[in-house]
Amino acid sequence: AQVISIQSTFNSIFDLDPNSAAPVIVIMSLILSFEWMGGLRSVALTDTIQALVMIACFLMIPSIIKRHYGGWSGLDVETYPRPDFYQSFSKQQQWTFWQNSFINFSFFTLPHLLQRNYAARDLGSLKGAYIALAVGPWFTSFVGIFMGTMGVQILGAGASPANPFSAILEEIMNKGGFAYVVGVICLTASMAAIMSTADSLIIAISQLITMEFLKPCMPDVTPGQLTKYAKVTSLVAVVISVCIGLFWNEGILDLGKIQFPLSAQAVPAFVFGLFLTAKHDVHPWSIASGAIVSTVYVLVFYFSYLRIGEKNPKPVNAGISGLLINLFVIIVSEAIRRFLYGSDYNDEDKIVMIDHNSFRSNITLANEKTTTRKKGVYLLFPKRPLWDVPDLTRFCPDCRNNTNSASITISALSPKRVWFMMEGVEELLTNPYWVCFFVLAVTYATPLMPAEQPPLVVQEPDDNNVFSTTSTAAQTFVYPPVV
């Protein structure tokens, strides 16, 4: 998605061929070099500065549009290029809107957002960032809607730019003066924001692969070797993303339709891991089975059905339906596992011994039971192969500095431990009243009303076979819309 954004924005700014690949390849190469030399802290800092600049510009743009183009009050219903914007949502749009409101709940599972949570300096910084995330949309959403609806009038009938945002800003810049200054700053900041977001995504991908896959498989790897593997991973990620971006012909919005449905499949892992009790906790393999099956379903269902307009697909969100399949597979897999093998949930009495010189090199079979807690690792589900035993030293601050100690016990980040850490904090997702309120709020925000009102009808031509309107759609309302 970032590759497509960079290509469309940069090419639009400099009046290049929208399909020109050279600029985006050069820019992605620069981003890769920045990622190799810098780190997440620099990305987060530049993102903060760019966000402040973008918010300031966004607050100025409505007044500029109002001054030069008259705002909403200056639009003429009869000549507006998209008269359907004056209509209420169709039934399909209403259903899609409701589903999308729920699927956006998975925003917190995006890799670069999670990574920044871990990189936060302290809890106060994390809270401040989430307050900004909660307040920001109230400012930017209005400006986005205002720019979009006015942009239809500004660009004129039949306009279909590769990047509407850049095209609208270019028209504003043509007014000169203050409008030109704001437009240049906004375009530059948006371009920089896209690049830094791409950088943080590359960092997130390389960290996930190196720390969660390569390091557990190669416990004796040195930090220097791990850094080299991370750089190779980043290079592969950039090459793949550039190839997808260059050959993806449907634009950024089409990629957005698949992003959140895919990220939603990680929600059960978070919810089960955080909120289930010991009695009802689910084996990681059951959760993984559900995630794998639902991810495959989302990709197949979207590309073979929803994306093919000729099939006139029903308004079914791939993420919502995939999430239901995800939960079904988890429940069935866990039921089969318990029926065949019983419950092997560890109630803090089974310890996996580890060598005191390397917390990963000599882990013994995970179903071994001991009566001592010396140099042990507490696992929730101990009956698993060695390659599936996670590195739990991250939850043991004293482990790295006390490798010779004979009394270190490393505990998993279990639901019980999470609840202990959250003692005194009200977790809204565990409050059934709040959950019901959330569902009702999303439903209430959906414009549930008679569809496509007021109706649009095709006009009849006069005796000279000429329509009496300048609207390219040659349509008129049965009765005037109420604005």
Side-chain angles (χ1 to χ4, degrees), residues 93-228:
Q93 290 172 329
Q94 293 178 34
W95 179 240
T96 301
F97 184 99
W98 186 81
Q99 293 178 97
N100 287 340
S101 299
F102 276 105
I103 207 65
N104 286 336
F105 176 77
S106 64
F107 180 80
F108 73 92
T109 64
L110 296 178
H112 51 296
L113 183 63
L114 288 174
Q115 187 186 52
R116 294 176 191 216
N117 289 341
Y118 288 121
R121 180 176 56 189
D122 49 41
L123 186 59
S125 301
L126 193 61
K127 288 182 177 179
Y130 272 93
I131 290 174
L133 282 175
V135 175
W138 291 97
F139 294 99
T140 57
S141 295
F142 164 76
V143 178
I145 294 172
F146 186 73
M147 283 188 66
T149 51
M150 289 300 301
V152 173
Q153 181 70 30
I154 294 171
L155 298 179
S160 182
N163 190 320
F165 177 73
S166 300
I168 295 171
L169 285 180
E170 287 178 8
E171 292 295 328
I172 293 175
M173 290 163 58
N174 290 335
K175 297 298 180 181
F178 181 71
Y180 179 82
V181 174
V182 172
V184 169
I185 295 175
C186 194
L187 276 175
T188 306
S190 63
M191 189 69 189
I194 295 170
M195 292 175 64
S196 62
T197 303
D199 192 5
S200 63
L201 284 170
I202 295 170
I203 295 175
I205 293 171
S206 63
Q207 183 192 35
L208 283 172
I209 295 178
T210 54
M211 299 302 295
E212 304 297 336
F213 179 73
L214 294 180
K215 188 178 180 182
C217 294
M218 298 181 295
D220 297 324
V221 66
T222 65
Q225 291 174 327
L226 204 59
T227 301
K228 292 180 180 179

Side-chain angles (χ1 to χ4, degrees), residues 69 71-83 86 150 153 469-471 477 481 483:
Y69 300 98
W72 282 331
S73 60
L75 299 179
D76 186 349
V77 176
E78 297 297 328
T79 61
Y80 190 67
R82 290 293 301 274
Y86 284 90
M150 289 300 301
Q153 181 70 30
T469 178
T470 58
S471 173
F477 291 103
V483 181

Side-chain angles (χ1 to χ4, degrees), residues 115-357:
Q115 187 186 52
R116 294 176 191 216
N117 289 341
Y118 288 121
R121 180 176 56 189
D122 49 41
L123 186 59
S125 301
L126 193 61
K127 288 182 177 179
Y130 272 93
I131 290 174
L133 282 175
V135 175
W138 291 97
F139 294 99
T140 57
S141 295
F142 164 76
V143 178
I145 294 172
F146 186 73
M147 283 188 66
T149 51
M150 289 300 301
V152 173
Q153 181 70 30
I154 294 171
L155 298 179
S160 182
N163 190 320
F165 177 73
S166 300
I168 295 171
L169 285 180
E170 287 178 8
E171 292 295 328
I172 293 175
M173 290 163 58
N174 290 335
K175 297 298 180 181
F178 181 71
Y180 179 82
V181 174
V182 172
V184 169
I185 295 175
C186 194
L187 276 175
T188 306
S190 63
M191 189 69 189
I194 295 170
M195 292 175 64
S196 62
T197 303
D199 192 5
S200 63
L201 284 170
I202 295 170
I203 295 175
I205 293 171
S206 63
Q207 183 192 35
L208 283 172
I209 295 178
T210 54
M211 299 302 295
E212 304 297 336
F213 179 73
L214 294 180
K215 188 178 180 182
C217 294
M218 298 181 295
D220 297 324
V221 66
T222 65
Q225 291 174 327
L226 204 59
T227 301
K228 292 180 180 179
Y229 292 140
K231 290 183 177 180
V232 173
T233 303
S234 301
L235 176 61
V236 173
V238 168
V239 171
I240 293 175
S241 61
V242 169
C243 291
I244 294 176
L246 294 179
F247 292 100
W248 189 275
N249 298 321
E250 302 300 325
I252 186 67
L253 294 179
D254 198 51
L255 275 177
K257 294 177 183 177
I258 195 68
Q259 175 182 5
F260 284 111
L262 285 175
S263 63
Q265 308 317 309
V267 171
F270 285 91
V271 175
F272 289 171
L274 290 173
F275 303 125
L276 288 183
T277 60
K279 181 180 179 181
H280 301 98
D281 206 0
V282 180
H283 196 283
W285 287 14
S286 299
I287 297 177
S289 300
I292 293 172
V293 171
S294 61
T295 298
V296 173
Y297 160 80
V298 169
L299 292 172
V300 173
F301 183 66
Y302 179 75
F303 286 103
S304 65
Y305 179 68
L306 293 179
R307 195 164 177 261
I308 302 177
E310 292 79 6
K311 292 186 176 182
N312 192 24
K314 300 295 182 182
V316 179
N317 188 287
I320 297 294
S321 55
L323 195 56
L324 296 176
I325 293 175
N326 192 338
L327 295 173
F328 175 78
V329 173
I330 291 174
I331 294 172
V332 172
S333 300
E334 183 66 12
I336 294 175
R337 187 191 69 84
R338 294 193 181 196
F339 177 77
L340 295 177
Y341 304 106
S343 177
D344 65 340
Y345 191 87
N346 190 353
D347 194 18
E348 299 192 21
D349 62 346
K350 297 177 183 178
I351 303 299
V352 180
M353 299 304 296
I354 64 176
D355 182 78
H356 69 278
N357 291 319

